[in-house]
Coordinates of all heavy atoms in Angstrom, one line a residue:
M1 N 34.1 46.4 74.0 CA 33.3 47.4 74.5 C 34.1 48.5 75.3 O 33.8 49.7 75.2 CB 32.2 46.8 75.5 CG 31.4 47.6 76.1 SD 29.9 48.2 75.0 CE 28.7 48.9 76.0
Y2 N 35.0 48.1 76.2 CA 35.8 48.9 77.0 C 36.6 49.9 76.1 O 36.6 51.2 76.3 CB 36.7 48.1 77.9 CG 37.8 49.0 78.5 CD1 37.4 49.8 79.6 CD2 39.1 49.1 78.2 CE1 38.3 50.6 80.3 CE2 40.0 50.0 78.8 CZ 39.7 50.7 79.9 OH 40.5 51.5 80.5
Y3 N 37.1 49.4 75.1 CA 38.0 50.3 74.1 C 37.2 51.4 73.5 O 37.5 52.6 73.6 CB 38.5 49.4 73.0 CG 39.1 50.2 71.8 CD1 40.3 50.6 72.0 CD2 38.4 50.6 70.8 CE1 41.0 51.4 71.0 CE2 39.0 51.4 69.8 CZ 40.3 51.8 69.9 OH 40.9 52.6 68.9
F4 N 35.9 51.1 73.1 CA 35.0 52.1 72.5 C 34.5 53.1 73.6 O 34.5 54.3 73.4 CB 33.9 51.4 71.7 CG 34.4 50.8 70.5 CD1 34.3 49.4 70.4 CD2 34.9 51.4 69.4 CE1 34.8 48.8 69.3 CE2 35.4 50.8 68.3 CZ 35.3 49.4 68.3
T5 N 34.3 52.6 74.6 CA 33.8 53.5 75.8 C 34.9 54.5 76.1 O 34.7 55.7 76.2 CB 33.5 52.7 77.2 OG1 32.5 51.7 76.8 CG2 33.0 53.6 78.2
K6 N 36.1 54.1 76.2 CA 37.3 54.8 76.5 C 37.6 55.9 75.4 O 37.8 57.0 75.7 CB 38.5 54.0 76.6 CG 39.8 54.7 77.2 CD 40.8 53.6 77.4 CE 42.1 54.5 77.6 NZ 43.3 53.5 77.7
E7 N 37.4 55.4 74.2 CA 37.5 56.3 72.9 C 36.6 57.5 72.9 O 36.8 58.6 72.7 CB 37.5 55.4 71.7 CG 37.8 56.2 70.4 CD 37.8 55.3 69.3 OE1 38.6 54.5 69.1 OE2 36.8 55.4 68.4
I8 N 35.3 57.1 73.3 CA 34.2 58.1 73.2 C 34.3 59.0 74.3 O 34.2 60.3 74.0 CB 32.8 57.4 73.2 CG1 32.4 56.6 72.0 CG2 31.7 58.3 73.5 CD1 31.3 55.7 72.0
I9 N 34.8 58.6 75.5 CA 35.0 59.6 76.6 C 36.1 60.5 76.3 O 36.1 61.7 76.6 CB 35.1 58.8 77.9 CG1 33.8 58.2 78.4 CG2 35.6 59.7 79.0 CD1 33.9 57.2 79.4
Q10 N 37.2 60.0 75.7 CA 38.3 60.8 75.4 C 37.9 61.9 74.3 O 38.4 63.0 74.4 CB 39.5 60.0 74.9 CG 40.1 59.2 76.1 CD 41.2 58.3 75.6 OE1 41.1 57.8 74.5 NE2 42.1 57.8 76.5
K11 N 37.1 61.4 73.3 CA 36.8 62.4 72.3 C 35.9 63.4 72.9 O 36.0 64.6 72.5 CB 36.1 61.6 71.2 CG 35.7 62.4 70.0 CD 35.1 61.6 68.9 CE 34.7 62.4 67.7 NZ 34.1 61.6 66.7
S12 N 34.9 63.1 73.8 CA 34.1 64.1 74.3 C 34.8 65.1 75.1 O 34.6 66.3 75.2 CB 33.0 63.3 75.2 OG 32.1 64.3 75.8
I13 N 35.8 64.6 76.0 CA 36.7 65.5 76.8 C 37.4 66.5 75.9 O 37.5 67.7 76.1 CB 37.6 64.7 77.7 CG1 36.7 63.9 78.8 CG2 38.6 65.7 78.3 CD1 37.5 63.0 79.5
K14 N 37.9 66.0 74.7 CA 38.8 66.8 73.9 C 37.9 67.9 73.2 O 38.4 68.9 72.9 CB 39.4 65.8 72.8 CG 40.3 66.5 71.8 CD 40.9 65.5 70.8 CE 42.0 66.1 70.0 NZ 42.6 65.2 69.1
L15 N 36.6 67.6 73.0 CA 35.8 68.6 72.4 C 34.9 69.4 73.5 O 33.9 69.9 73.1 CB 34.7 67.9 71.5 CG 35.4 67.3 70.2 CD1 34.5 66.4 69.4 CD2 36.2 68.3 69.3
N16 N 35.4 69.4 74.7 CA 34.9 70.2 75.8 C 33.4 69.7 76.2 O 32.6 70.6 76.5 CB 34.8 71.6 75.5 CG 36.3 72.1 75.3 OD1 37.1 71.7 76.0 ND2 36.6 72.9 74.3
G17 N 33.1 68.5 76.0 CA 31.8 67.9 76.3 C 30.8 67.9 75.2 O 31.0 68.3 74.1
S18 N 29.6 67.5 75.7 CA 28.4 67.4 74.7 C 27.9 68.7 74.2 O 27.9 69.7 74.9 CB 27.4 66.6 75.4 OG 26.3 66.5 74.7
I19 N 27.5 68.6 73.0 CA 26.9 69.8 72.3 C 25.6 70.3 73.0 O 25.2 71.5 72.9 CB 26.7 69.6 70.7 CG1 26.6 70.9 70.0 CG2 25.5 68.7 70.5 CD1 26.8 70.8 68.6
D20 N 24.9 69.5 73.7 CA 23.6 69.9 74.3 C 23.8 70.2 75.8 O 22.9 70.2 76.5 CB 22.6 68.8 74.0 CG 22.9 67.4 74.5 OD1 24.1 67.2 75.0 OD2 22.2 66.5 74.4
E21 N 25.1 70.4 76.2 CA 25.3 70.7 77.6 C 26.4 71.8 77.7 O 27.0 72.1 76.7 CB 25.7 69.5 78.3 CG 24.8 68.4 78.5 CD 25.2 67.2 79.2 OE1 26.4 67.0 79.6 OE2 24.5 66.1 79.2
T22 N 26.4 72.5 78.8 CA 27.4 73.5 79.1 C 28.3 73.2 80.3 O 27.8 72.4 81.1 CB 26.7 74.9 79.2 OG1 25.8 74.8 80.4 CG2 25.9 75.3 78.1
D23 N 29.4 73.9 80.3 CA 30.3 73.7 81.4 C 29.8 74.7 82.5 O 28.9 75.5 82.3 CB 31.8 73.8 81.0 CG 32.2 75.2 80.6 OD1 31.3 76.2 80.6 OD2 33.2 75.3 79.9
L24 N 30.6 74.8 83.7 CA 30.3 75.8 84.6 C 30.3 77.3 84.2 O 29.7 78.1 84.9 CB 31.3 75.6 85.8 CG 31.3 74.3 86.6 CD1 32.5 74.2 87.5 CD2 30.0 74.1 87.2
F25 N 31.0 77.6 83.2 CA 31.0 79.0 82.6 C 29.9 79.3 81.5 O 30.0 80.3 80.9 CB 32.4 79.3 82.1 CG 33.5 79.0 83.2 CD1 34.2 77.8 83.2 CD2 33.6 79.9 84.4 CE1 35.2 77.5 84.2 CE2 34.6 79.6 85.3 CZ 35.4 78.5 85.2
G26 N 29.2 78.3 81.2 CA 28.1 78.4 80.1 C 28.6 78.1 78.7 O 27.9 78.4 77.8
N27 N 29.8 77.6 78.7 CA 30.4 77.3 77.3 C 29.9 75.9 76.9 O 29.9 74.9 77.6 CB 31.9 77.3 77.3 CG 32.4 78.6 77.7 OD1 32.1 79.6 77.2 ND2 33.3 78.5 78.7
K28 N 29.3 75.8 75.6 CA 28.8 74.7 75.0 C 29.9 73.8 74.6 O 30.9 74.3 74.1 CB 28.0 74.9 73.8 CG 26.5 75.1 74.1 CD 25.7 75.2 72.9 CE 24.1 74.8 73.3 NZ 23.4 74.7 72.1
G29 N 29.7 72.4 74.7 CA 30.7 71.4 74.3 C 30.5 71.3 72.7 O 29.5 71.9 72.2
E30 N 31.4 70.5 72.1 CA 31.2 70.4 70.6 C 31.1 68.9 70.2 O 31.0 68.5 69.1 CB 32.5 70.9 69.9 CG 32.6 72.4 70.0 CD 33.9 73.0 69.4 OE1 34.5 72.2 68.6 OE2 34.3 74.1 69.7
Y31 N 31.0 68.0 71.3 CA 30.8 66.6 70.9 C 29.4 66.3 70.7 O 28.5 66.7 71.3 CB 31.2 65.8 72.2 CG 30.9 64.3 71.9 CD1 31.9 63.5 71.1 CD2 29.9 63.6 72.4 CE1 31.7 62.2 70.7 CE2 29.7 62.3 72.2 CZ 30.6 61.6 71.3 OH 30.4 60.2 71.0
I32 N 29.1 65.7 69.4 CA 27.8 65.4 69.0 C 27.6 63.9 69.1 O 28.4 63.0 68.7 CB 27.7 65.7 67.4 CG1 27.9 67.3 67.3 CG2 26.3 65.3 66.9 CD1 27.9 67.7 65.9
H33 N 26.6 63.6 69.8 CA 26.2 62.2 70.1 C 25.7 61.4 68.7 O 25.0 62.0 67.9 CB 25.0 62.0 71.0 CG 25.3 62.5 72.3 ND1 25.9 61.8 73.4 CD2 25.2 63.8 72.9 CE1 26.1 62.5 74.4 NE2 25.7 63.7 74.2
Y34 N 26.1 60.3 68.4 CA 25.6 59.5 67.4 C 25.3 58.1 67.9 O 26.3 57.5 68.4 CB 26.4 59.4 66.1 CG 25.5 58.6 65.1 CD1 24.5 59.2 64.4 CD2 25.8 57.3 65.0 CE1 23.8 58.5 63.6 CE2 25.0 56.5 64.1 CZ 24.0 57.1 63.4 OH 23.2 56.4 62.6
P35 N 24.2 57.7 67.8 CA 23.0 58.3 67.5 C 22.4 59.1 68.5 O 22.5 58.8 69.8 CB 21.9 57.2 67.1 CG 22.5 56.0 67.9 CD 23.9 56.1 68.2
G36 N 21.8 60.3 68.2 CA 21.4 61.3 69.2 C 20.0 61.0 69.6 O 19.3 60.1 69.3
K37 N 19.5 62.0 70.4 CA 18.1 61.8 71.1 C 17.0 61.8 70.0 O 15.9 61.3 70.3 CB 17.8 63.1 72.0 CG 18.8 63.1 73.1 CD 18.6 64.2 74.1 CE 19.6 64.0 75.3 NZ 19.5 65.3 76.1
R38 N 17.3 62.3 68.8 CA 16.2 62.3 67.8 C 16.4 61.2 66.7 O 15.9 61.3 65.6 CB 16.0 63.6 67.1 CG 15.5 64.7 68.2 CD 15.3 66.0 67.5 NE 15.6 67.1 68.4 CZ 16.6 67.9 68.4 NH1 17.4 67.8 67.4 NH2 16.8 68.8 69.4
A39 N 17.2 60.2 67.1 CA 17.6 59.2 66.2 C 16.6 58.1 65.9 O 16.7 57.5 64.9 CB 18.9 58.6 66.6
K40 N 15.7 58.0 66.8 CA 14.7 57.0 66.7 C 14.1 56.9 65.3 O 13.6 58.0 64.8 CB 13.6 56.9 67.7 CG 12.6 55.8 67.8 CD 11.7 55.9 68.8 CE 10.7 54.7 68.8 NZ 9.7 54.9 69.8
N41 N 14.0 55.8 64.6 CA 13.5 55.6 63.3 C 14.2 56.4 62.2 O 13.6 56.5 61.1 CB 12.0 56.0 63.2 CG 11.2 55.1 64.0 OD1 11.4 53.8 64.1 ND2 10.1 55.6 64.7
Q42 N 15.3 56.9 62.4 CA 16.2 57.5 61.4 C 17.1 56.5 60.9 O 17.4 55.5 61.6 CB 17.0 58.7 62.0 CG 16.2 59.8 62.5 CD 15.4 60.5 61.5 OE1 15.9 60.8 60.3 NE2 14.1 60.7 61.7
P43 N 17.6 56.6 59.7 CA 18.4 55.5 59.1 C 19.8 55.5 59.7 O 20.4 56.5 60.1 CB 18.5 55.8 57.7 CG 18.2 57.3 57.5 CD 17.2 57.6 58.7
C44 N 20.3 54.4 59.9 CA 21.7 54.1 60.5 C 22.6 54.7 59.4 O 22.4 54.4 58.2 CB 22.1 52.7 60.8 SG 23.7 52.3 61.1
I45 N 23.7 55.4 59.8 CA 24.6 56.0 58.8 C 25.5 54.9 58.2 O 26.1 55.1 57.2 CB 25.5 57.2 59.4 CG1 26.4 56.5 60.5 CG2 24.7 58.2 59.8 CD1 27.4 57.5 61.1
K46 N 25.6 53.7 58.9 CA 26.4 52.6 58.3 C 25.7 51.7 57.3 O 26.2 51.4 56.3 CB 27.0 51.8 59.4 CG 28.1 50.8 59.0 CD 28.6 50.1 60.2 CE 29.7 49.2 59.7 NZ 30.2 48.5 60.9
C47 N 24.4 51.4 57.7 CA 23.7 50.2 57.0 C 22.3 50.7 56.5 O 21.7 50.0 55.7 CB 23.7 49.1 57.7 SG 22.4 49.1 59.2
G48 N 21.8 51.9 56.9 CA 20.5 52.3 56.5 C 19.3 51.7 57.3 O 18.1 52.2 57.1
N49 N 19.5 50.8 58.2 CA 18.4 50.2 59.0 C 18.0 51.2 59.9 O 18.8 52.2 60.4 CB 19.2 49.0 59.8 CG 18.1 48.2 60.5 OD1 17.1 48.0 60.0 ND2 18.4 47.9 61.7
L50 N 16.7 51.2 60.3 CA 16.1 52.2 61.2 C 16.6 52.1 62.5 O 16.6 51.1 63.1 CB 14.6 52.2 61.1 CG 13.9 52.5 59.8 CD1 12.5 52.5 59.9 CD2 14.5 53.8 59.2
I51 N 17.1 53.2 63.2 CA 17.5 53.2 64.6 C 16.4 52.9 65.5 O 15.3 53.5 65.4 CB 18.2 54.5 64.9 CG1 19.4 54.9 64.0 CG2 18.6 54.6 66.4 CD1 20.6 53.9 64.2
Q52 N 16.7 52.1 66.5 CA 15.6 51.7 67.6 C 15.9 52.5 68.8 O 17.1 52.8 69.1 CB 15.7 50.3 67.7 CG 15.3 49.4 66.4 CD 14.0 49.6 66.0 OE1 13.0 49.5 66.7 NE2 13.9 50.0 64.7
A53 N 14.9 52.7 69.7 CA 15.1 53.2 71.0 C 14.7 52.2 72.1 O 13.7 51.5 71.8 CB 14.3 54.5 71.2
K54 N 15.4 52.0 73.2 CA 15.0 51.1 74.2 C 15.5 51.8 75.6 O 16.5 52.3 75.8 CB 15.8 49.8 74.0 CG 15.3 48.8 74.9 CD 15.9 47.4 74.7 CE 15.3 46.4 75.4 NZ 15.6 45.0 75.1
S55 N 14.5 51.7 76.5 CA 14.7 52.3 77.8 C 15.5 51.2 78.6 O 15.1 50.1 78.8 CB 13.5 52.6 78.6 OG 13.7 53.0 79.8
I56 N 16.7 51.6 79.1 CA 17.5 50.6 79.9 C 17.9 51.3 81.2 O 18.7 52.2 81.2 CB 18.8 50.2 79.1 CG1 18.4 49.6 77.7 CG2 19.7 49.2 80.0 CD1 19.5 49.3 76.8
L57 N 17.5 50.9 82.3 CA 17.7 51.3 83.7 C 17.5 52.9 83.8 O 18.3 53.5 84.3 CB 19.2 51.0 84.0 CG 19.6 49.5 84.1 CD1 21.0 49.3 84.4 CD2 18.8 48.8 85.2
G58 N 16.3 53.3 83.2 CA 15.9 54.6 83.4 C 16.6 55.6 82.3 O 16.2 56.9 82.4
S59 N 17.4 55.0 81.4 CA 17.9 55.9 80.4 C 17.6 55.3 79.0 O 17.6 54.1 78.9 CB 19.4 56.0 80.6 OG 20.0 56.7 79.6
T60 N 17.3 56.1 78.0 CA 17.0 55.7 76.7 C 18.3 55.4 75.9 O 19.1 56.4 75.8 CB 16.1 56.6 76.0 OG1 14.8 56.7 76.8 CG2 15.7 56.0 74.7
S61 N 18.5 54.3 75.3 CA 19.6 54.0 74.4 C 19.1 53.9 73.0 O 17.9 53.4 72.8 CB 20.3 52.7 74.8 OG 20.8 52.9 76.1
Y62 N 19.9 54.3 72.1 CA 19.6 54.4 70.7 C 20.6 53.5 70.0 O 21.8 53.7 70.1 CB 19.6 55.7 70.1 CG 18.4 56.6 70.7 CD1 18.9 57.3 72.0 CD2 17.2 56.8 70.3 CE1 18.0 58.1 72.6 CE2 16.3 57.6 71.0 CZ 16.8 58.2 72.1 OH 15.9 59.0 72.8
F63 N 20.1 52.5 69.0 CA 21.0 51.7 68.4 C 20.4 51.1 67.2 O 19.2 51.0 66.9 CB 21.3 50.5 69.4 CG 20.1 49.7 69.9 CD1 19.8 48.5 69.2 CD2 19.2 50.2 70.7 CE1 18.8 47.7 69.6 CE2 18.2 49.4 71.2 CZ 17.8 48.3 70.6
C64 N 21.3 50.5 66.4 CA 21.0 49.9 65.1 C 21.0 48.4 65.4 O 22.0 47.8 65.9 CB 22.0 50.2 64.1 SG 21.7 49.2 62.6
T65 N 19.8 47.7 65.1 CA 19.8 46.3 65.3 C 20.7 45.4 64.4 O 21.0 44.3 64.8 CB 18.3 45.8 65.3 OG1 17.8 46.1 64.0 CG2 17.5 46.4 66.2
K66 N 21.1 46.0 63.4 CA 22.0 45.2 62.5 C 23.5 45.4 62.9 O 24.2 44.5 62.8 CB 21.9 45.7 61.1 CG 20.5 45.2 60.4 CD 20.6 45.5 59.0 CE 19.4 45.0 58.3 NZ 19.3 45.2 56.8
C67 N 23.9 46.7 63.3 CA 25.3 46.9 63.6 C 25.7 46.7 65.0 O 26.8 46.5 65.3 CB 25.6 48.4 63.2 SG 25.4 48.9 61.5
Q68 N 24.7 46.8 65.9 CA 25.0 46.8 67.3 C 24.0 45.9 68.1 O 22.8 46.1 67.8 CB 25.1 48.1 68.0 CG 25.5 48.3 69.4 CD 25.5 49.6 70.0 OE1 25.0 50.5 69.2 NE2 26.1 49.8 71.1
K69 N 24.4 45.2 69.0 CA 23.6 44.3 69.8 C 23.7 44.7 71.2 O 24.8 45.2 71.7 CB 23.9 42.8 69.7 CG 24.0 42.3 68.3 CD 22.5 42.1 67.7 CE 22.5 41.6 66.4 NZ 21.4 41.6 65.8
I70 N 22.6 44.8 72.0 CA 22.7 45.2 73.4 C 22.3 44.1 74.2 O 21.7 43.2 73.9 CB 21.8 46.4 73.7 CG1 20.2 46.1 73.4 CG2 22.2 47.6 72.9 CD1 19.4 47.2 74.0
Ligands
LIG1 ZN1 23.4 50.0 61.1

């Protein structure tokens, strides 16, 4: 888990942040979340299973029940 967290944060920093946010100068980032905010009930790109959404500590997480366990 730590490895992937570190990898995702490094990738996001390299791409100047998330595509749905801007920096202090109004520049959009290029990092695209997968699964993103509209992923619920969309097919997983790895196995085709429908993506589920779950509220965890006030934030919604999106995941594939076959590929990832929370
Ligand atoms: Zn999957």
Side-chain angles (χ1 to χ4, degrees):
M1 179 82 166
Y2 171 74
Y3 171 81
F4 292 111
T5 301
K6 187 176 167 186
E7 184 178 288
I8 289 168
I9 290 171
Q10 287 174 336
K11 185 175 181 182
S12 179
I13 291 170
K14 190 174 181 181
L15 295 173
N16 300 319
S18 177
I19 197 163
D20 56 354
E21 295 176 1
T22 59
D23 64 16
L24 294 174
F25 306 103
N27 300 312
K28 271 190 158 187
E30 296 178 17
Y31 179 75
I32 299 172
H33 297 270
Y34 182 80
K37 293 178 180 173
R38 292 183 214 114
K40 185 178 179 184
N41 295 324
Q42 296 298 310
C44 171
I45 59 171
K46 186 175 180 184
C47 73
N49 190 43
L50 297 182
I51 299 296
Q52 302 294 309
K54 185 170 187 171
S55 180
I56 301 172
L57 299 174
S59 178
T60 305
S61 294
Y62 300 88
F63 60 99
C64 172
T65 56
K66 284 188 180 178
C67 297
Q68 184 178 15
K69 304 290 180 189
I70 58 171

